[in-house]
């Protein structure tokens, strides 16, 4: 079963923004089993193509940093059964 999950949502534009959430706003969530969900808000005022790429990297960086702080990281090596 999965112990970590990432979610990304945002407003890539060109329309759909508001004063509270302008075009370029992104929310990234990281859920870890047994921990509170971490949600970060980013503002990425890029073109659509870059906008789609940057939040994915922000999410993966959140996950990477979380794993590096984890007392169970790195996971134990796989062993062969048999």
């Amino acid at each position: 079963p999965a112990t970590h999950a990432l979610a990304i949502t945002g407003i890539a534009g060109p329309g759909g923004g508001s004063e509270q959430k302008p075009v370029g706003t992104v929310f990234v969530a990281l859920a870890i089993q047994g921990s509170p969900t971490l949600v970060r808000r980013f503002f990425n005022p890029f073109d659509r193509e870059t906008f789609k790429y940057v939040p994915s990297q922000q999410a993966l960086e959140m996950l990477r940093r979380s794993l590096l702080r984890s007392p169970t990281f790195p996971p134990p090596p796989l062993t062969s059964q048999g």
Side-chain angles (χ1 to χ4, degrees):
T3 58
H4 293 69
L6 288 168
I8 302 171
T9 189
I11 303 167
S18 67
E19 280 190 35
Q20 293 79 23
K21 291 184 271 182
V23 170
T25 301
V26 177
F27 292 90
V28 178
L30 171 60
I32 302 171
Q33 187 176 28
S35 298
T37 300
L38 173 65
V39 178
R40 294 204 45 208
R41 179 181 176 152
F42 296 97
F43 182 64
N44 300 321
F46 305 117
D47 61 90
R48 283 184 67 86
E49 196 62 31
T50 305
F51 181 89
K52 291 188 286 184
Y53 174 76
V54 170
S56 69
Q57 299 309 298
Q58 291 167 322
L60 290 172
E61 180 64 12
M62 285 174 62
L63 176 60
R64 185 187 75 83
R65 289 178 184 220
S66 169
L67 290 172
L68 289 174
R69 286 191 304 270
S70 171
T72 60
F73 187 82
L78 297 175
T79 59
S80 63
Q81 303 281 329

